[in-house]
Amino acid sequence: MAFPLAAAAGGRSLLFRQLFDGDTGTFTYLLADVPSRKGVIIDTVFEQHGRDLSLIRELGIELVASIDTHAHADHVTGSWLMHEATGCAIGLAAAARAENVTRPLAHGDRINYGPRFVEVRATPGHTDGCISFVLDDQSMAFTGDALLVRGCGRCDFQQGNAHSLWNSITGQILSLPESCLLYPGHDYTGRSVTSVAEEKAFNARLGGDASERDFVGHMENMKLPHPHKIAEALPGNMRSGKPREAATAPAWAPLARSYAGLPELTPAWVVAHQSEVTVLDVRSAEEFNGPDGRVASSLLIPLPELESRASEIPTDRPLVVVCHSGSRSALATQQLLKAGRAQVANLRGGLNRWADEGFPLEGVTPA
């Protein structure tokens, strides 16, 4: 049964999620049309790929495109990884001239996902390849680094130009309806959203009565240090996030991380490789010997006893942790990882899913 996406969207026809990378202060945005389940993701971060992909898969979204507002200087995009995982398009401004882009974007283009779309607006000035994405009903816009909350992107490298940025912001962003919510590419103080009305009134660099002369004078005298990841970020983004070397897969299993961050395995994989792993059951002894049954040859250590009995767990094979639903075993998996066990995973869905998929259990009481 498909996950009820309409409920996750709060009963609305558009699902919206704002995600955050604390190391670089980067916001990532996921949009999905509920009826068609098609979606786009904006400004992914390479190191957060597992988190973002887990959310997309858990919600059952068909990703149409991974799109970036510009070639970032402070983090590497996750677009290539998302393309490899889902087959989605890689979208970036054609002006950025990056490799591996499958959907070069220009002003006025539309990126469709189901019946919905985001409109591409060229907003150069921070870089010459900056674009912003405006939702089809103009209720939301994703401004990247062109316009930030009470600020804007710098103009002192990557072909930046303060005059161009003034024209981009005033002509393409602040010309939107005043009620349009603006979502920035970054923030470092916890500000996650603003509006056209607010930035027109309160943006210290270009709001209120500020003129283009005021703005340019401000921007040309900021004297900021370069982003600390620029040496790796720019080359990486010119490859659309494609690693120079192929990533090595997990040595012992096809682990998938849940949106909660846990490494998980499916019952089917565990059944096929049961002789190669230790199955650790963390239910109570009464449950282990009760009518729900147990995985053959599994080791019982109830969750409350896990820390004191850790020495009983074999170290020569990877661990798969199980319980009735996957909840207690999730906690046990976290505890084992913190204790230094590298090869450990939670059984997704627990013994409940194991039984539902028709795999055998010892000691089951017939219904």
Side-chain angles (χ1 to χ4, degrees), residues 42-61:
I42 301 170
D43 285 341
T44 58
V45 175
F46 187 93
E47 290 81 4
Q48 298 290 355
H49 170 70
R51 176 200 67 183
D52 298 347
L53 182 62
S54 294
L55 178 60
I56 290 164
R57 287 176 170 169
E58 286 183 5
L59 297 180
I61 293 169

Side-chain angles (χ1 to χ4, degrees), residues 44-47 72 74-78 232-234 236-237 240-242:
T44 58
V45 175
F46 187 93
E47 290 81 4
H72 310 276
D74 48 17
H75 72 274
V76 176
T77 177
E232 60 181 285
L234 283 180
N237 287 320
S240 298
K242 182 178 181 180

Side-chain angles (χ1 to χ4, degrees), residues 214-283:
D214 297 324
F215 177 75
V216 172
H218 182 120
M219 299 305 295
E220 290 184 348
N221 288 279
M222 292 181 70
K223 297 181 172 61
L224 297 171
H226 276 195
H228 72 280
K229 288 191 173 183
I230 189 170
E232 60 181 285
L234 283 180
N237 287 320
M238 293 309 291
R239 300 189 302 272
S240 298
K242 182 178 181 180
R244 290 190 183 278
E245 299 178 1
T248 56
W252 68 277
L255 298 176
R257 289 195 176 270
S258 69
Y259 188 49
L262 278 179
E264 295 184 330
L265 289 169
T266 63
W269 187 90
V270 177
V271 169
H273 298 83
Q274 198 167 340
S275 63
E276 304 164 19
V277 301
T278 295
V279 176
L280 175 64
D281 195 317
V282 296
R283 295 176 297 163

